[in-house]
Amino acid sequence: MKSVIHFRPLLWPSIFTLFSFIILILLGSWQVKRLFWKNEVTTNYTKQFEKEIIYYNKNLKFSNDFEFRRIRINGKFFHNKETLIIGKTFEGNVGFHLVTPILTNDNKIVLINRGWISEKLKLQKARRFTLIKDEIFIDGIIRKPQKKGYFVPNNDHDGGFWFTIKPSEIKDALGLEKYDFEKNFYVDSIRSKNKKTLPIGISGNPNFRNQHLSYAITWYSLAITLIIIYFVFHFKEKRLSIKRNRL
């Protein structure tokens, strides 16, 4: 017995399926690329975090190799120049990241991302406990200015809507031009291991969202499902058949 496949594909379903299949494969491959990139970032974070602590001073020459390094910085907060970063969550609760400039003993301004606060603490009068007047020591990690994501809006300086931490933009919007301002990086504050207080800073452990493998599997699965549906459709329309001929 010899099997003979007879297939008469319909034009438009074939064009649609081919186009959709290519798109799904590209999306899956893009997620695989993102997976390798995210794994590399996590590895680099761990490596950098374990290095010796940097003690900040105005003569510190920033290098790209500094990102994720631990840093200790001291000074006084400018609470009247706070910035709230919109759309941040902590354990499923929506809120903000509280970014406050600190004036160091060397008269230089550095932005400190102090951590997460809830929406009900948006106004300063609701969180007097965050308005520290005395000199303070901050332990944190160095972060380069954030890049806007594909679906993240631009910062609205006039409206006061901030979505990404970009020191240069924040400096201009808050009128801090007269100060010696650190534009190359900001600092993510590390929270105490013994207690969790607001604002809630980072833990210090690598906690990068990494769903890229599951996304890749989803896109590739949809591509395979699409092909199956395509051939089943043609089979039901009797445009795909398998006949067995005797030799």
Side-chain angles (χ1 to χ4, degrees), residues 54 56 60 62-63 66-71 140-144 184-188:
I54 295 173
Y56 183 81
L60 178 68
F62 176 77
S63 166
F66 282 177
E67 186 167 30
F68 305 132
R69 289 280 300 273
R70 288 175 296 160
I71 186 170
I141 64 169
I142 295 174
R143 299 299 308 271
K144 291 192 292 188
N184 295 306
F185 67 88
Y186 66 95
V187 174
D188 274 341

Side-chain angles (χ1 to χ4, degrees), residues 41-47 49 202-209:
V41 169
T42 302
T43 301
N44 182 54
Y45 177 97
T46 303
K47 179 181 177 181
F49 187 83
I202 62 170
S203 66
N205 299 318
N207 188 28
F208 299 102
R209 180 180 173 84

Side-chain angles (χ1 to χ4, degrees), residues 140-162:
I141 64 169
I142 295 174
R143 299 299 308 271
K144 291 192 292 188
Q146 293 178 345
K147 295 181 180 179
K148 188 179 79 68
Y150 291 108
F151 304 107
V152 176
N154 291 314
N155 291 326
D156 181 359
H157 307 172
D158 297 330
F161 296 102
W162 295 89

Side-chain angles (χ1 to χ4, degrees), residues 70-135:
R70 288 175 296 160
I71 186 170
R72 177 164 292 179
I73 186 170
N74 63 296
K76 291 186 176 181
F77 283 133
F78 278 8
H79 295 294
N80 62 331
K81 299 292 185 180
E82 288 181 349
T83 301
L84 296 177
I85 309 300
I86 297 172
K88 301 302 179 179
T89 60
F90 180 78
E91 296 182 350
N93 299 300
V94 179
F96 308 91
H97 276 180
L98 176 61
V99 178
T100 309
I102 193 171
L103 179 64
T104 71
N105 293 335
D106 294 324
N107 287 318
K108 189 160 186 175
I109 293 286
V110 180
L111 291 183
I112 307 295
N113 178 12
R114 299 172 64 188
W116 181 88
I117 58 172
S118 63
E119 287 187 323
K120 66 181 181 180
L121 298 179
K122 178 179 180 180
L123 300 179
Q124 287 189 349
K125 64 181 180 180
R127 50 176 173 83
R128 297 291 185 187
F129 58 90
T130 67
L131 307 180
I132 303 169
K133 296 181 180 180
D134 297 329
E135 182 178 353

Side-chain angles (χ1 to χ4, degrees), residues 12 14 48 75 79 101 113 115 122 129 171 179 204 208 210 247:
W12 289 112
S14 298
Q48 292 289 89
H79 295 294
N113 178 12
K122 178 179 180 180
F129 58 90
K171 181 199 75 170
Y179 293 97
F208 299 102
N210 193 349
L247 295 177

